[in-house]
């Protein structure tokens, strides 16, 4: 790896935003292949994800890293030649959304981010998602795993309803369902009929690994 | 009032004060706190219970008399907010009939309510920023106050002539709207006072005379929004710290004056950005805790009892937050394991909590009974413990489970 490439990787991983953006800009201005720059960003994200997993990084770092990636992406994407699209994701598909009645999204966004940098193709269908919309999205996207997110206690019922509707639609055995959010625990998991629950974003990654790559 | 009632008044208060002072009470006190569970209890909609003071008060009275807690939260603090929210045209919340359905709880809208470049405006003149920028932004009723000038620039005859700012049509309209909203708020406070006077008379201890906030949470939730505050920790850490520091005297003045006007010494402080999973212990110690500790100390010095509700799991924070004088605060934990909390905080703060909402919502009365027994046996009857839900009674909890909780508290608490 070239010296400036390593510096870009380190700057992103070490949360030096100004330096990272300046380095990326200089590399792109100097004619560096934009796909290479984005690949470096992805590598840096893996380091960020690892530090998150190790308990060194938390929400501020994930969000800042996400914004750095977004800004570098904005600089790089117009320079990408046609046909040079980024490599396809290696692993399976995960559909994720916050269940109906609940407007919270921080936890869901972090799970989406962590699954994404761990190589899953994630479709995030937003907050306050009605049961019917989950069914439509599942039919269209054909995920291996569905993640239901919710912060409020009302989400227990919404998760249960969503999972029951998936079962009624005859799709329950085609996927694993995981739930997560502030109040979710083993009791809620049983109550809703989910396959598993998680209390943090790494739990979601671990669950998907167990289910998809087994 | 009979002699028994008078006796009970002293008993419940003494029980609670003993628990706070880490002395063994006659039995473990139990608290009743909820937001919208009254609707479930009374078989009416969230919307109805948020708008109808009389119905809410009747349900609150019935619930308290039936459940017989030692400490209670009145329905006028977190429930009957509909009319005031509407009169103020509050923009930071969605509530039944306003953005969410009639049977959905009110929810905060996480947005950027202060731009990053406005930190300096806040730091230079918090009152001016509040009056002419922040209030019009979050209260529809305050729209128009942007037209007020920078008043400290007016003096002598200029000050006299400066009164014309208050004749500006937009300002006139804003003050008229705010007055109307304030009168609705006064109506709610009158209902609150009537309710708490009655409960004081019956010997129930008002759980909070005021609601306060951690400086970091004020800046994070109500000014910058989640994305803003979290990235500010890297982009403008000095501004975050300065804004937290600046907010302290304002937070203290509001909480102390409100609480002193009530019959309670307890100040309820739901915390938002403290949990383990939100930031590293280092960042917590740098950005979150120091200004909050000053708020806690300011309340304690004013002879009030802060009751922070440590939301989510705060296990990694326990050693840090143990730095308060003994017997002066109640730490209410939502998901932190109470036995773990006690291992660090024993002899320092009274603990409160924390029957899980999953149990209260989906368990059976027998399971609730067993969980109450387990908590009391684990955390102990020797003082320093108030039994409650993790975040009070969840809105959806079946009534029989709530009854089981209070019954078990009396059965095992002695």
């Amino acid at each position: 790896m070239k010296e400036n490439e390593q510096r870009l990787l380190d700057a992103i991983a070490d949360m030096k935003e100004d330096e990272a953006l300046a380095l990326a800009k200089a590399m792109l201005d100097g004619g560096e292949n934009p796909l290479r720059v984005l690949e470096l960003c992805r590598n840096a994200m893996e380091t960020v994800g690892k530090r998150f997993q190790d308990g060194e990084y938390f929400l501020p770092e994930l969000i800042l890293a996400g914004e750095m990636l977004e800004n570098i992406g904005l600089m790089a994407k117009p320079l990408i030649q046609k046909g040079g699209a980024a490599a396809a994701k290696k692993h399976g598909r995960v559909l994720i959304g916050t269940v109906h009645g609940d407007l919270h999204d921080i936890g869901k966004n972090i799970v989406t981010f962590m699954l994404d940098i761990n190589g899953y193709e994630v479709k995030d269908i937003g907050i306050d998602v009605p049961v019917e919309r989950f069914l439509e999205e599942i039919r269209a996207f054909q995920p291996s795993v569905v993640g239901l997110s919710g912060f409020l206690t009302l989400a227990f019922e919404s998760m249960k309803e969503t999972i029951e509707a998936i079962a009624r639609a005859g799709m329950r055995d085609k996927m694993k369902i995981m739930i997560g959010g502030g109040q979710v625990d083993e009791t809620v998991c049983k109550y809703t009929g989910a396959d598993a629950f998680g209390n943090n974003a790494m739990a979601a990654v671990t669950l998907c690994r167990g289910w998809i790559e087994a | 009032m009979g002699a028994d009632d008078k006796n009970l008044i002293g008993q419940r208060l003494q029980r609670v004060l003993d628990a706070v002072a880490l002395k063994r009470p006659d039995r473990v006190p139990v608290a009743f706190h909820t937001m919208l569970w009254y609707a479930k209890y009374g078989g009416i909609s969230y919307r109805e219970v948020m708008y109808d003071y009389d119905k809410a008060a009747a349900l609150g009275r019935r619930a308290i008399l039936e459940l017989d807690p030692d400490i209670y939260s009145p329905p006028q603090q977190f429930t009957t907010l509909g009319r005031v929210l509407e009169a103020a045209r509050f923009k930071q919340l969605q509530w039944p009939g306003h953005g969410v359905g009639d049977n959905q709880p009110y929810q905060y809208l996480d947005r950027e309510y202060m731009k990053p470049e406005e930190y300096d405006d806040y730091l230079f003149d918090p009152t001016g920023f509040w009056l002419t920028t922040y209030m019009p932004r979050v209260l529809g009723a305050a729209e128009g106050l942007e037209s007020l000038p920078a008043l400290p620039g007016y003096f002598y005859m200029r000050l006299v002539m400066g009164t014309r700012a208050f004749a500006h049509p937009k300002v006139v309209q804003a003050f008229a709207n705010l007055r109307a909203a304030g009168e609705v708020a006064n109506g709610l406070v009158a209902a609150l006072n009537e309710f708490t006077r009655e409960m004081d008379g019956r010997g129930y201890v008002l759980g909070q005379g005021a609601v306060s906030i951690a400086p970091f949470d004020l800046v994070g939730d109500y000014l910058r929004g989640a994305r803003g505050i979290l990235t500010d920790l890297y982009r403008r850490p000095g501004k975050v710290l300065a804004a937290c520091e600046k907010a302290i005297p304002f937070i203290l003045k509001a909480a102390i004056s409100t609480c002193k006007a009530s019959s309670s010494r307890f100040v309820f402080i739901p915390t938002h950005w403290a949990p383990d999973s939100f930031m590293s212990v280092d960042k917590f110690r740098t950005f979150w805790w120091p200004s909050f500790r000053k708020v806690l100390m300011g309340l304690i010095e004013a002879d009030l009892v802060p009751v922070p509700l440590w939301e989510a799991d705060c296990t990694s924070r326990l050693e840090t937050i143990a730095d308060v004088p003994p017997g002066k605060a109640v730490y209410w934990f939502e998901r932190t394991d109470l036995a773990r909390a006690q291992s660090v905080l024993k002899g320092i703060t009274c603990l409160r909590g924390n029957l899980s909402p999953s149990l209260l919502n989906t368990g059976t009365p027998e399971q609730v009974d067993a969980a109450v027994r387990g908590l009391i046996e684990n955390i102990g009857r020797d003082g320093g413990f108030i039994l409650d839900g993790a975040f009070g009674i969840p809105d959806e909890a079946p009534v029989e489970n709530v009854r089981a909780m209070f019954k078990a508290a009396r059965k095992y608490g002695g």
Side-chain angles (χ1 to χ4, degrees), chain A residues 83-208:
Chain A
K89 298 283 183 183
K90 301 183 284 287
H91 308 311
R93 289 181 172 177
V94 183
L95 182 84
I96 187 168
T98 301
V99 292
H100 67 89
D102 201 321
L103 310 177
H104 290 85
D105 66 355
I106 294 180
K108 171 185 64 61
N109 294 349
I110 298 300
V111 170
T112 302
F113 178 91
M114 288 304 290
L115 288 170
D116 182 66
I117 63 172
N118 278 282
Y120 294 92
E121 188 179 347
V122 190
K123 184 162 190 199
D124 178 349
I125 57 172
I127 57 171
D128 193 14
V129 179
V131 172
E132 198 47 48
R133 169 104 195 280
F134 262 107
L135 298 182
E136 286 162 20
E137 296 282 354
I138 289 168
R139 283 188 197 107
F141 187 61
Q142 301 284 320
S144 311
V145 176
V146 170
L148 304 180
S149 173
F151 178 74
L152 302 170
T153 47
L154 71 77
F156 304 168
E157 277 311 313
S158 303
M159 287 171 174
K160 190 168 190 265
E161 284 168 23
T162 307
I163 295 172
E164 282 169 358
I166 292 170
R168 272 199 307 278
M171 301 189 289
R172 182 66 183 87
D173 51 0
K174 292 181 188 145
M175 68 191 67
K176 293 289 187 184
I177 299 180
M178 59 183 181
I179 58 172
Q183 312 298 339
V184 164
D185 60 14
E186 185 62 47
T187 308
V188 180
C189 186
K190 278 195 196 125
Y191 179 74
T192 58
D195 293 300
F197 76 100
N199 280 329
N200 59 60
M202 277 321 298
V205 174
T206 307
L207 287 172
C208 287

Side-chain angles (χ1 to χ4, degrees), chain A residues 17 61 67 101 153 182 185, chain B residues 104 107 234-235 335 358 396:
Chain A
E17 184 183 23
E61 292 78 16
E67 291 198 2
T153 47
D185 60 14
Chain B
Q104 282 178 266
Q107 294 186 54
Y234 281 94
R235 288 176 180 156
R335 287 196 79 159
S358 65
E396 307 83 1

